[in-house]
Amino acid sequence: MTLAVPKLRSCNDCPIRYSAVCSKCEPDELLQLEEIKYYRTYAAGQPIFFGGDPLEFVGSVVSGVSSLMRTLPDGRVQMVGLLLPGDFMGRPNRDTIDCDVVAETDVMLCCFRRKPFEKMILDTPHVGQRLLEMTLDELDAAREWMLVLGRKTAREKIASLLHMIAVRMASLKPGETAETTFTLPITRETMANYLGLTIETVSRQMSALKKDGLIAFDERRDIRVPDLDALKAETGEEGF
């Protein structure tokens, strides 16, 4: 299924202009990126890459959410990450991609042809600098997630995931506390896979958080968080 690509008049109209890999670019550098970029859209459930595919492009998630999946030799599948708006997809200087990438919602990507982008990293310090910053942020997030998976209770795991998604989807600044509503981009089955829990445990903990007034939801995936600080307090870690 092919989705229509929304028209963006310029990079200044882009919703991820100040969070993506191009956020530090000067106008002349944006023009260079313009020459090697194009947009692609994917419907919810559609694969973007399969592990081992040739990496013909890299790019930024403009809208929507994608999941990163790894498949073990015996067929077991583990979700190893989420890509939200502003996140970078693919790795320069690699010929193939090591994960399956699946659109969890309708997704729009700003794609860059890989070889020209690799050259631009060398020639344009602002692109290389921002990509390094994003890579280090991703490393910090991976370390935090090791703590989530290894030491936190089921309730703390669910609260941590919901808090992370709420902050990212609402584009809130760190420390900002406000009521927010977002559409949960993944199913409870996917949440269970990601967190190493059963679906029943995820449902129980979601209901418990709702009963305690920390979140509100109905039969749809819309989640309302009345107080982000209160939800953060349930993550079990002050700095998460």
Side-chain angles (χ1 to χ4, degrees), residues 37-87:
K37 85 173 186 184
Y38 56 95
Y39 295 101
R40 281 189 176 179
T41 57
Y42 299 84
Q46 186 177 357
I48 298 173
F49 285 112
F50 290 108
D53 278 353
L55 189 60
E56 298 177 351
F57 68 87
V58 295
S60 299
V61 180
V62 177
S63 62
V65 176
S66 300
S67 60
L68 302 174
M69 303 283 192
R70 296 291 294 269
T71 302
L72 297 176
D74 62 5
R76 286 176 294 169
V77 177
Q78 175 64 49
M79 179 176 164
V80 296
L82 283 174
L83 295 174
L84 294 117
D87 285 341

Side-chain angles (χ1 to χ4, degrees), residues 215-230:
I215 60 173
F217 58 86
D218 51 26
E219 66 276 3
R220 301 189 304 171
R221 291 196 198 172
D222 291 340
I223 305 288
R224 183 173 65 85
V225 182
D227 185 341
L228 277 171
D229 254 357

Side-chain angles (χ1 to χ4, degrees), residues 51-122:
D53 278 353
L55 189 60
E56 298 177 351
F57 68 87
V58 295
S60 299
V61 180
V62 177
S63 62
V65 176
S66 300
S67 60
L68 302 174
M69 303 283 192
R70 296 291 294 269
T71 302
L72 297 176
D74 62 5
R76 286 176 294 169
V77 177
Q78 175 64 49
M79 179 176 164
V80 296
L82 283 174
L83 295 174
L84 294 117
D87 285 341
F88 192 77
M89 180 182 297
R91 290 291 179 267
N93 301 310
R94 289 188 183 178
D95 294 329
T96 60
I97 192 162
D98 60 352
C99 291
D100 296 341
V101 185
V102 179
E104 294 292 336
T105 66
D106 292 347
V107 168
M108 178 180 177
L109 299 179
C110 179
C111 307
F112 306 108
R113 290 181 287 120
R114 183 171 64 87
K115 290 295 185 181
F117 185 80
E118 290 172 355
K119 184 177 185 303
M120 194 168 178
I121 291 175
L122 298 176

Side-chain angles (χ1 to χ4, degrees), residues 181-197:
T181 299
F182 65 95
T183 299
L184 190 63
I186 54 178
T187 66
R188 294 191 182 190
E189 181 179 6
T190 303
M191 290 175 66
N193 181 311
Y194 194 26
L195 297 171
L197 303 171

